[in-house]
Amino acid sequence: MTADSTRGSMADDSLIQSARAHIVSAKSITVLTGAGISADSGVPTFRGENGLWRDYRAEDLATPEAFERNPRLVWEWYNWRREILSNKKPNEAHHSLVHLESRLQEFRLITQNVDGLHRLAGSKKMYELHGDIWKVRCTSCQLVAANHDVPLLLPPHCRTCGGLLRPHIVWFGEALDEQILSKSFQAVESCELMMIVGTSGLVYPAAMLMPAAKAKGAFIIEINLDSTPYSPDVDLSLQGRAKEILPLLY
Ligand code: BJW
Ligand code: ZN
């Protein structure tokens, strides 16, 4: 099926009603979110006009090689992001996914976001594909620990072994956690309906989740301000802000 979509600031009512009917009757739903869902909380996205990469080149910062070369520079970037995030709150879109989870036996939320806003909103059945900016990992003993210091004193060291700490985040060229990835594929391959919210669909392997759901016959709904590489292949494409559209759907 090709995408049924509108252009403009807000998806029209008939599309909203159609999405609503599918969502209300679905027994299992898996949702994939990206930076767009946190945009209305004031968190910059990665590739938008005010994207996080704007003043930096991604390959200078979000790779293991960059960290080896200059851990302080990479940590300064994360300190800056942690500071931005420290006063941010979940918005209506995060909250509405918590509500959806409470209504369904079979629900999974897969997020590419590292900002922790889904957890703050109360989401439980959740997989964080790219890690968590509020955790640190020791490069020597691999211990993972929660850390909410803003700013973190640089360079940070492990309390157990003294090794250098790094953000507990999946950088380019690094493998995703095998268990989280395989559970995420199970969740999309077994759901009746998949929603994709606020992601550009450019980053792999997360970008393979939608085709995997579609191959198993799931009904796919996309919610995004813009069209994406997914848009031609989804069943319903709702253009607009996640925080305005999601609360209308259930
Ligand atoms: C709104 C909105 C509103 C705005 N409402 N919508 C196959 C093909 C090509 C390349 C590869 C491939 N396989 C692997 C690669 C390489 C690479 C990759 O994908 N590169 C591409 C960029 C080309 N992938 C990897 O390296 C991955 N690792 C890997 O594959 O390892 C293999 C391996 C196996 C075994 C051993 C060793 C290695 C790892 C990828 C990790 C990505 N991590 C990042 C950065 C982390 C750093 C950090 O956060 O600190 O995660 S990349 C960055 O992009 C971040 C995000 O989670 C991710 C996705 O971005 P997202 O969420 O889609 O954000 P945006 O900004 O792109 O889009 C926002 C969207 O919201 C837009 O569409 C807006 O329109 C919309 N929007 N406001 C609704 N209010
Ligand atoms: Zn250690």
Side-chain angles (χ1 to χ4, degrees):
M1 203 189 292
T2 49
D4 188 3
S5 71
T6 53
R7 305 269 155 213
S9 60
M10 180 74 179
D12 79 21
D13 196 50
S14 66
L15 290 179
I16 297 282
Q17 292 316 321
S18 170
R20 202 180 153 85
H22 281 97
I23 290 168
V24 168
S25 67
K27 296 205 164 43
S28 58
I29 297 183
T30 296
V31 181
L32 172 67
T33 64
I37 197 167
S38 296
D40 284 321
S41 293
V43 182
T45 59
F46 286 89
R47 296 171 184 82
E49 216 172 278
N50 295 309
L52 274 175
W53 308 129
R54 199 178 46 160
D55 296 334
Y56 305 91
R57 293 183 336 135
E59 55 273 29
D60 286 343
L61 298 170
T63 68
E65 294 78 21
F67 189 69
E68 251 173 60
R69 212 163 41 232
N70 193 344
R72 183 176 280 272
L73 173 70
V74 173
W75 263 121
E76 278 168 2
W77 185 54
Y78 280 97
N79 258 350
W80 173 68
R81 289 176 55 197
R82 282 159 72 108
E83 195 180 334
I84 292 177
L85 282 172
S86 59
N87 63 358
K88 301 294 181 271
K89 296 194 167 52
N91 63 54
E92 293 88 331
H94 298 98
H95 290 302
S96 77
L97 291 177
V98 179
H99 175 55
L100 186 62
E101 175 175 343
S102 73
R103 287 184 35 171
L104 282 160
Q105 282 278 335
E106 299 291 324
F107 175 89
R108 284 291 177 279
L109 170 60
I110 304 167
T111 187
Q112 297 167 85
N113 298 347
V114 300
D115 58 30
L117 291 181
H118 283 301
R119 190 173 314 102
L120 213 55
S123 285
K124 298 265 182 314
K125 294 179 174 172
M126 178 177 58
Y127 304 133
E128 291 175 313
L129 281 180
H130 294 160
D132 181 346
I133 200 168
W134 300 111
K135 286 182 181 163
V136 292
R137 184 165 86 239
C138 177
T139 56
S140 298
C141 73
Q142 307 306 323
L143 200 79
V144 175
N147 181 305
H148 285 81
D149 297 351
V150 177
L152 217 133
L153 295 182
L154 303 185
H157 287 284
C158 175
R159 285 194 190 160
T160 307
C161 77
L164 178 66
L165 296 175
R166 59 164 279 175
H168 186 51
I169 280 186
V170 184
W171 286 326
F172 286 114
E174 292 188 316
L176 278 66
D177 181 289
E178 226 170 86
Q179 258 203 327
I180 292 176
L181 189 60
S182 109
K183 284 182 179 169
S184 299
F185 272 98
Q186 278 168 29
V188 295
E189 285 171 349
S190 62
C191 70
E192 232 176 87
L193 186 145
M194 179 178 184
M195 271 200 278
I196 304 166
V197 186
T199 173
S200 58
L202 294 173
V203 174
Y204 289 81
M208 288 156 67
L209 292 167
M210 188 289 266
K214 195 175 163 73
K216 295 283 182 181
F219 189 87
I220 317 277
I221 299 175
E222 177 182 54
I223 299 163
N224 198 302
L225 266 185
D226 248 316
S227 58
T228 73
Y230 294 127
S231 305
D233 298 322
V234 302
D235 295 301
L236 262 176
S237 179
L238 305 176
Q239 270 187 252
R241 292 184 180 282
K243 76 161 186 183
E244 288 170 4
I245 293 186
L246 272 172
L248 301 175
L249 298 183
Y250 34 86

